[in-house]
Amino acid sequence: MFPSPKLITKPITYLKDEEITLLLDTIKTGDGLTKHQQAFSDKQKTRDMAMIYLMLSTGIRISECVGLDIQDIDWEENSILVVRKGRKYSNIYSDETAAELLGAYMEEREEMELESDNNALFISRNGTRITPRSVQRLVKKYASVAVQSKHITPHKLRSTYGTNLYRETGDIYLVAEVLGHNDVNTTRKHYAALDEDRKRMAAKAVSLRKE
């Protein structure tokens, strides 16, 4: 009997489809939040929904998300210009739902009393660009109610998108490009567990004829 090899990487944490639904429903309804939390969420849920859905549906980093300016959005193409690590620029594409949620948020943003030179897309309740720490807190607030069995952070939203994209396409190079990884081996390392799943599927996909 041969000993099992040690796992080099541990499986990544990501949200399943039903957990994504629970998370978004929590943002929308506020069910499960404390009265104090719900008071703040009622004022910011349009922004929170747009921001969290955008991260879930594009895989952008938290730094890329908070760094977005209004002019980075191309409404006709449903594309967003993000600044990657190393000050590299890249266009990412969003779906119609993201565009609708961003549009609803922009209507609210236009009613805010902001400085004329404030071009930040996502605004805090103080009227300034939202910070990564604030995004971490609000993701934790909603996720701790919706998905209590997992520790969900903004990076786990990114992992969720990467996981879904890889499962749908099987193209590790596309995943690396969309996520903004400079080295595809970084992507392979993160999604090694999914590669093992694909290998298991391959073993079952081909049946040799028994004599």
Side-chain angles (χ1 to χ4, degrees):
M1 182 175 181
F2 297 99
S4 300
K6 294 182 179 180
L7 291 176
I8 299 175
T9 58
K10 63 180 182 179
I12 59 175
T13 300
Y14 64 94
L15 292 170
K16 297 179 180 178
D17 289 347
E18 60 271 21
E19 293 170 333
I20 293 174
T21 299
L22 287 171
L23 176 61
L24 297 178
D25 283 347
T26 299
I27 301 171
K28 183 178 180 180
T29 66
D31 290 347
L33 300 178
T34 66
K35 289 184 178 180
H36 180 72
Q37 290 175 327
Q38 197 162 21
F40 283 107
S41 296
D42 285 345
K43 297 177 182 178
Q44 304 289 349
K45 67 180 178 181
T46 305
R47 179 204 66 187
D48 295 351
M49 179 69 83
M51 186 163 47
I52 290 178
Y53 186 90
L54 184 65
M55 288 191 286
L56 276 168
S57 62
T58 63
I60 57 175
R61 299 179 176 91
I62 186 173
S63 59
E64 296 165 349
C65 183
V66 301
L68 290 173
D69 290 330
I70 295 173
Q71 60 267 29
D72 293 332
I73 302 179
D74 185 328
W75 297 98
E76 291 185 3
E77 295 292 331
N78 277 359
S79 68
I80 300 172
L81 184 67
V82 298
V83 182
R84 300 290 197 186
K85 289 182 177 180
R87 300 296 298 176
K88 295 179 180 178
Y89 292 84
S90 177
N91 278 315
I92 61 172
Y93 294 87
S94 59
D95 59 22
E96 290 294 335
T97 300
E100 291 172 4
L101 293 172
L102 284 170
Y105 165 66
M106 283 300 299
E107 290 181 3
E108 289 192 3
R109 189 191 182 286
E110 290 174 359
E111 297 177 0
M112 300 177 188
E113 296 181 1
L114 304 172
E115 298 292 335
S116 59
D117 61 348
N118 189 341
N119 294 318
L121 176 60
F122 293 116
I123 301 297
S124 71
R125 65 174 182 265
N126 297 322
T128 58
R129 184 185 297 273
I130 196 168
T131 65
R133 181 59 182 156
S134 293
V135 178
Q136 290 170 345
R137 284 197 296 264
L138 69 89
V139 169
K140 179 180 178 181
K141 174 179 66 177
Y142 294 120
S144 63
V145 171
V147 193
Q148 298 179 8
S149 61
K150 296 178 180 178
H151 177 58
I152 299 301
T153 64
H155 188 74
K156 299 301 187 294
L157 304 184
R158 177 172 163 83
S159 297
T160 297
Y161 175 77
T163 298
N164 287 334
L165 181 60
Y166 189 37
R167 281 181 167 167
E168 288 294 324
T169 66
D171 189 339
I172 198 69
Y173 292 96
L174 175 62
V175 176
E177 182 177 355
V178 173
L179 292 182
H181 290 162
N182 292 325
D183 186 350
V184 72
N185 289 320
T186 300
T187 318
R188 290 188 189 281
K189 180 180 69 174
H190 289 318
Y191 298 98
L194 293 181
D195 272 335
E196 293 304 312
D197 287 343
R198 294 173 66 81
K199 290 176 186 176
R200 292 188 188 96
M201 290 175 60
K204 299 176 182 178
V206 178
S207 297
L208 297 180
R209 185 174 60 186
K210 295 179 180 180
E211 296 297 340

